[in-house]
C-alpha cells in the first residue's frame, strides 16, 4: 500500500523523502480515523471538519492578498498573575499595558487591519476562550476565513537575576533547545494549573498528534518570519537587552489552537532590574511597542510582495 502511494513522489525518491512520505501517510490515516470516529480535539473546542479544512494548505492557505486581522493576546490575567519580578512587578499587569499600547500603535500604522484583544482588563480568559476569540475574529469557521496573525505577549522570569532580553517564539512539535523547552514549560504551567489542562493527554492523543503536525506544516514558515521580523525591529531600540538566540521554537499551548501564523513574544525578564525598569516605564516601553508594531507591518509588507510567501 505504501509503495504504491510513494509513486507520487517519483521513482528516484531518496531515503529522507521516503521517510517523510511514510510519516505523512501515517498521519493522514490517523486523521481519517479521527474523522470517522468524530473524535473531539482535547481541550481545543475545534471541530474535526474545521481541522480538515486547515490541514489542507491548498484549500485554505490564505484567501486574501494581505493580512486583514491581528489578534493580540495579553498573557495570564485575573487569578493568574504570571511571574512575579523586581519590586513585585506582576507579569499580567505589564503585558496588559504592552498589549493595549500595541493595539493603539497598530491602529495608527495599519488603519485597514482589524485589531482584537483576548483581554483588555485584568481578567483571565481560559485557553479555550483565547482560541475562540482568535479563531472567531479570523472567521476560521466561516467560508471565507481572514488572513490573521496571533501575537501572544508575555514577560520572562529566571532564577538568575542576570538573565535579560527580548525574544520571540514560534510553535513546533519539538523545542529548538533545552532553554526553549524550559520557557514553554513555564508558560504552559499556568494553563495546566488554572485551566486544569491534562498535559499528558493534551500532547499524546491521536487528535493532538494530527493537530501538532498540521500547525507545523501549515504555518511554521510564516510564524518564524513573523517572530524574526519583530525581533529585528525591537533590537534596533536603544536600551533593549539582546539574547544570543532571540528567535526559537517550542510547543506553547496558547499558540496551539490559534489556526493562523502566530508568535509568542517575551518582552523582557521581570526578574532582571534593567529589563523590569525598561518594561515598567511607559516612555521606554512605548519604544519597544512601536518597534514591535513596525516588525509586524514589515512582515505584512513582505507577505504582500511575495504573494503570501508562496515563491
Amino acid at each position: 500500500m505504501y509503495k504504491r502511494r510513494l509513486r507520487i513522489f517519483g521513482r528516484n525518491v531518496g531515503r529522507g523523502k521516503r521517510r517523510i512520505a511514510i510519516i505523512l501517510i501515517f498521519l493522514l490515516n490517523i486523521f481519517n480515523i479521527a474523522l470517522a470516529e468524530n473524535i473531539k480535539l482535547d481541550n481545543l473546542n475545534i471541530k474535526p471538519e474545521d481541522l480538515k479544512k486547515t490541514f489542507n494548505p491548498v484549500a485554505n492557505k490564505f484567501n486574501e492578498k494581505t493580512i486583514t486581522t491581528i489578534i493580540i493576546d495579553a498573557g495570564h490575567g485575573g487569578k493568574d498573575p504570571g511571574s512575579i519580578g523586581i519590586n513585585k512587578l506582576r507579569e499580567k499587569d505589564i503585558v496588559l499595558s504592552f498589549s493595549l499600547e500595541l493595539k493603539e500603535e497598530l491602529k495608527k500604522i495599519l488603519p485597514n487591519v482589524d485589531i482584537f484583544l483576548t483581554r483588555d482588563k485584568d481578567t483571565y480568559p481560559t485557553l479555550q476562550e483565547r482560541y475562540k476569540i482568535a479563531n472567531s475574529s479570523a472567521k476560521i469557521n466561516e467560508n471565507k476565513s481572514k488572513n490573521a496573525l496571533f501575537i501572544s505577549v508575555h514577560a520572562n522570569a529566571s532564577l538568575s537575576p542576570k538573565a535579560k532580553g527580548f525574544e520571540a517564539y514560534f510553535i513546533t512539535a519539538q523545542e529548538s533547545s533545552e532553554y526553549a523547552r524550559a520557557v514553554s514549560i513555564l508558560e504552559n504551567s499556568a494553563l495546566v494549573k488554572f485551566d486544569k489542562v491534562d498535559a499528558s493527554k493534551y500532547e499524546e492523543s491521536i487528535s493532538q498528534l494530527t493537530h501538532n503536525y498540521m500547525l507545523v506544516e501549515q504555518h511554521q514558515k510564516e510564524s518564524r518570519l513573523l517572530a524574526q521580523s519583530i525581533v529585528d525591529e525591537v533590537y534596533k531600540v536603544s536600551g533593549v537587552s539582546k539574547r544570543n538566540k532571540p528567535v526559537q521554537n517550542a510547543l506553547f499551548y496558547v499558540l496551539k489552537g490559534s489556526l493562523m501564523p502566530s508568535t509568542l513574544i517575551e518582552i523582557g525578564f521581570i526578574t532582571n532590574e534593567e529589563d523590569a525598569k525598561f518594561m515598567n516605564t511607559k516612555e521606554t516601553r512605548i519604544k519597544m511597542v512601536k518597534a514591535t508594531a513596525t516588525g509586524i507591518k514589515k512582515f505584512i509588507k513582505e507577505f504582500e510582495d511575495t504573494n503570501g510567501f508562496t515563491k
Side-chain angles (χ1 to χ4, degrees):
M1 178 183 69
Y2 291 135
K3 289 183 179 178
R4 193 182 313 123
R5 293 185 181 183
L6 282 171
R7 289 175 186 170
I8 63 174
F9 292 93
R11 293 181 179 178
N12 298 320
V13 180
R15 291 182 179 179
K17 289 187 177 180
R18 284 183 183 274
R19 292 194 189 100
I20 293 172
I22 291 171
I23 291 170
L24 277 169
I25 293 167
F26 172 72
L27 287 172
L28 286 170
N29 284 339
I30 291 176
F31 179 71
N32 288 330
I33 293 170
L35 287 177
E37 295 180 0
N38 199 29
I39 294 175
K40 261 194 170 182
L41 299 182
D42 301 330
N43 306 304
L44 287 178
N45 195 26
I46 298 172
K47 299 175 182 177
E49 55 267 29
D50 298 329
L51 179 58
K52 184 177 181 180
K53 292 177 185 177
T54 309
F55 187 79
N56 185 348
V58 176
N60 202 44
K61 182 77 169 181
F62 302 122
N63 297 312
E64 300 166 323
K65 294 181 179 180
T66 187
I67 303 297
T68 57
T69 304
I70 297 173
I71 300 93
I72 304 168
D73 171 51
H76 309 281
K79 60 186 178 181
D80 176 14
S83 298
I84 309 295
I86 300 292
N87 297 323
K88 297 183 179 180
L89 179 63
R90 299 183 299 185
E91 181 181 1
K92 70 171 184 176
D93 297 329
I94 202 68
V95 299
L96 178 59
S97 296
F98 188 100
S99 298
L100 291 169
E101 292 158 357
L102 180 59
K103 178 183 179 180
E104 292 306 309
E105 184 62 25
L106 287 171
K107 286 170 64 177
K108 290 178 186 177
I109 67 173
L110 297 170
N112 297 321
V113 176
D114 295 323
I115 315 295
F116 299 91
L117 291 165
T118 58
R119 69 180 182 98
D120 58 6
K121 56 179 70 71
D122 188 22
T123 56
Y124 179 78
T126 65
L127 187 64
Q128 287 192 11
E129 287 168 343
R130 293 175 201 264
Y131 293 158
K132 185 177 180 180
I133 292 169
N135 294 328
S136 63
S137 298
K139 302 184 185 301
I140 294 297
N141 295 328
E142 299 182 17
N143 291 331
K144 292 185 178 180
S145 60
K146 299 292 184 181
N147 287 345
L149 303 176
F150 183 79
I151 317 292
S152 190
V153 183
H154 291 258
N156 217 333
S158 174
L159 294 175
S160 170
K162 294 181 180 181
K164 59 182 180 178
F166 183 103
E167 54 194 1
Y169 291 83
F170 60 98
I171 188 170
T172 57
Q174 292 184 334
E175 292 80 4
S176 57
S177 66
E178 283 303 311
Y179 169 75
R181 177 176 173 80
V183 174
S184 67
I185 289 173
L186 176 64
E187 297 298 354
N188 292 341
S189 63
L191 298 169
V192 173
K193 178 180 179 182
F194 294 103
D195 283 12
K196 295 180 173 57
V197 172
D198 184 340
S200 60
K201 184 178 180 182
Y202 189 90
E203 295 190 29
E204 293 176 2
S205 69
I206 288 176
S207 58
Q208 284 307 313
L209 175 63
T210 307
H211 187 229
N212 264 358
Y213 182 81
M214 177 275 294
L215 278 173
V216 170
E217 180 67 17
Q218 179 77 351
H219 298 310
Q220 186 179 50
K221 179 180 179 180
E222 288 79 13
S223 297
R224 175 178 56 80
L225 291 172
L226 174 61
Q228 187 66 60
S229 184
I230 291 173
V231 166
D232 288 346
E233 292 305 312
V234 171
Y235 274 21
K236 295 177 183 178
V237 176
S238 176
V240 170
S241 302
K242 299 176 175 62
R243 303 287 294 172
N244 291 332
K245 193 176 180 182
V247 176
Q248 296 200 52
N249 50 282
L251 180 57
F252 289 95
Y253 292 169
V254 73
L255 301 182
K256 207 170 182 184
S258 54
L259 304 181
M260 62 201 71
S262 59
T263 183
L264 184 146
I265 59 175
E266 298 277 5
I267 62 175
F269 282 74
I270 60 174
T271 47
N272 176 269
E273 189 171 356
E274 292 178 22
D275 275 10
K277 183 178 179 180
F278 195 92
M279 289 186 289
N280 203 31
T281 303
K282 186 173 182 178
E283 182 181 356
T284 50
R285 184 177 65 245
I286 285 293
K287 294 179 181 179
M288 192 160 45
V289 167
K290 288 179 178 291
T292 300
T294 300
I296 294 170
K297 183 177 181 179
K298 287 192 173 183
F299 169 87
I300 294 175
K301 178 66 165 54
E302 184 71 12
F303 178 92
E304 294 171 343
D305 290 346
T306 57
N307 296 317
F309 304 113
T310 55
K311 294 182 180 179

